[in-house]
Amino acid sequence: MQAATSCDLKFRSTTPTARRNKRFSHAIPKRVSVTCGYRSESFSFPNGVSVNRADWQSSCAILSSKVASVENSGGLADKIAAVNGHTNGSVNLGIVAVESTNGKLAPVPVQPLTITDLSPAPLHGSSLRVAYQGVPGAYSEAAAGKAYPNCDAIPCDQFDVAFQAVELWIADRAVLPVENSLGGSIHRNYDLLLRHRLHIVGEVQIPVHHCLLALPGVRTDCITRVISHPQALAQTEGSLNKLTPKAAIEAFHDTAAAAEYIAANDLHDTAAVASARAAELYGLNILADGIQDDAGNVTRFLMLARDPIIPRTDRPFKTSIVFAAQEHKGTSVLFKVLSAFAFRNISLTKIESRPHHNCPVRVVGDENVGTSKHFEYTFYVDFEASMAEARAQNALSEVQEYTSFLRVLGSYPMDMTPWSTLPPPSQEDV
């Protein structure tokens, strides 16, 4: 597990303040935030994890070297809470101070937390906790619901927070996007796949159906600004030029968060490009439905878990690997790697290159002739075969001869479900 030093997860029970708008306050119960520790701004999300989970997560943060530097003056529990960023309204951790032999207060020795203390595996019939990036109403939430129906969805403000949520047993699974049919690959998540030790256990594909949302009573000709994720704005550029030709286009970090921002701040001159689900959650009206320029707009999500699944051969499987080529094998290494699959009639569905972070540049040549610099890459490959098949095992055995490292990210069932460009049914229609 990667130590959460640069990005510590925090859980905080909150009560909505700026979001008490009557249009959507009924949909916002008591909340728990899942945020990145170095972010100055945090989000609050409904239907999150329980307060008990916040208790033990805060306890995890306390088990650090910072506790040893706490002075004896004042309450010990207050000092420890201040160390971890919990000041006003922090969770009561129930820490008891005892008197030592020299008459000074000292904390009770704490036993290391075990997996059982953190979170047991879900019992039969209980719902999985699935982490996703975004806020309720995001397309990632819909992907989590398709991957694990009736799951307990846990919103996270960043992709790496979702990875850490699974590693720290806050969530059982994570569902994160890796590519879009129009926007291409999401490079951040490819880098995180290599940095973390989670396994791919499945995939889901979600059609993207964009809507133009605004507050009730706002007309299209009153819109002076449109906000959304840069990808959503690019995918609806043609429609926005027709619907709101004079409006300024501004990028936002998330589609559903843009809708939430408009509702929370009562912005009557601003519209958002988001899903119909976001309109329902935050009390907005749909000014235009299905405004994506291309109907074939699909995003592929990966399902991640702490443990891999057992590959099978009774249904179509896909396997994802990452490797780096050996320097001394020459420039034809990539061709040899691809040939290992071609000779065994294994179809490749994706190949992606990313800079080699440990060795981004390789210098070739000598002082007399001169030197040249070659960029080094790691390659991500998806191929249609199960690791339970001999041909896949033999292919990777040959690939290993030409690579400095090779890692199987997962062997998992392919998403074979048909999808439609029609909008998903609303909660009232279900």
Side-chain angles (χ1 to χ4, degrees), residues 20-340:
R20 288 174 179 168
N21 191 294
K22 63 182 180 179
R23 279 182 291 274
F24 63 101
S25 60
H26 65 279
I28 305 181
K30 188 174 183 180
R31 305 174 177 189
V32 172
S33 300
V34 184
T35 61
C36 183
Y38 55 73
R39 287 281 295 270
S40 59
E41 179 184 1
S42 63
F43 296 93
S44 295
F45 308 112
N47 302 324
V49 293
S50 64
V51 176
N52 290 334
R53 198 171 300 149
D55 290 347
W56 63 250
Q57 176 58 23
S58 299
S59 300
C60 289
I62 288 175
L63 298 178
S64 63
S65 59
K66 295 181 181 179
V67 177
S69 63
V70 176
E71 298 293 337
N72 294 327
S73 60
L76 178 64
D78 294 337
K79 289 286 186 178
I80 295 179
V83 167
N84 294 278
H86 302 285
T87 53
N88 297 327
S90 62
V91 178
N92 183 12
L93 302 174
I95 298 176
V96 180
V98 297
E99 187 171 338
S100 62
T101 56
N102 58 5
K104 296 183 179 181
L105 292 179
V108 176
V110 180
Q111 296 296 328
L113 295 176
T114 64
I115 289 177
T116 305
D117 296 324
L118 297 181
S119 174
L123 300 177
H124 178 71
S126 60
S127 60
L128 287 172
R129 297 157 303 178
V130 180
Y132 69 93
Q133 187 275 330
V135 301
Y139 294 105
S140 294
E141 184 193 38
K146 178 181 178 182
Y148 301 102
N150 302 319
C151 69
D152 181 12
I154 302 178
C156 303
D157 68 335
Q158 297 184 43
F159 290 128
D160 51 354
V161 175
F163 273 85
Q164 292 186 46
V166 179
E167 291 178 327
L168 296 175
W169 290 75
I170 301 164
D172 305 297
R173 302 286 189 274
V175 176
L176 298 172
V178 288
E179 60 179 326
N180 177 266
S181 58
L182 300 181
S185 299
I186 301 175
H187 297 138
R188 174 61 176 165
N189 283 336
Y190 276 100
D191 294 339
L192 291 173
L193 281 172
L194 186 58
R195 183 180 304 175
H196 294 266
R197 302 300 299 181
L198 298 184
H199 302 269
I200 304 175
V201 296
E203 65 173 2
V204 288
Q205 298 180 2
I206 297 293
V208 178
H209 190 88
H210 291 306
C211 302
L212 186 64
L213 313 181
L215 290 171
V218 175
R219 303 190 312 270
T220 305
D221 56 359
C222 299
I223 300 299
T224 61
R225 181 175 62 156
V226 178
I227 60 176
S228 190
H229 190 276
Q231 290 260 2
L233 295 175
Q235 295 165 7
T236 58
E237 181 179 5
S239 298
L240 291 179
N241 288 336
K242 297 177 182 178
L243 294 170
T244 56
K246 299 181 180 180
I249 306 299
E250 296 183 11
F252 213 77
H253 62 274
D254 186 77
T255 56
E260 183 189 35
Y261 177 78
I262 291 175
N265 293 276
D266 201 28
L267 302 177
H268 289 267
D269 63 341
T270 306
V273 176
S275 65
R277 165 76 171 160
E280 180 183 352
L281 284 176
Y282 304 115
L284 302 182
N285 280 355
I286 299 178
L287 300 180
D289 193 7
I291 63 174
Q292 60 274 6
D293 296 334
D294 193 326
N297 186 1
V298 182
T299 299
R300 176 176 171 245
F301 294 79
L302 294 181
M303 302 150 61
L304 306 175
R306 289 179 292 271
D307 300 313
I309 62 174
I310 299 176
R312 296 160 56 181
T313 58
D314 58 346
R315 60 173 298 180
F317 259 64
K318 182 183 293 185
T319 300
S320 298
I321 63 173
V322 57
F323 64 87
Q326 293 184 11
E327 297 180 8
H328 65 277
K329 294 294 183 179
T331 57
S332 61
V333 171
L334 185 57
F335 170 78
K336 294 176 181 177
V337 169
L338 299 181
S339 298

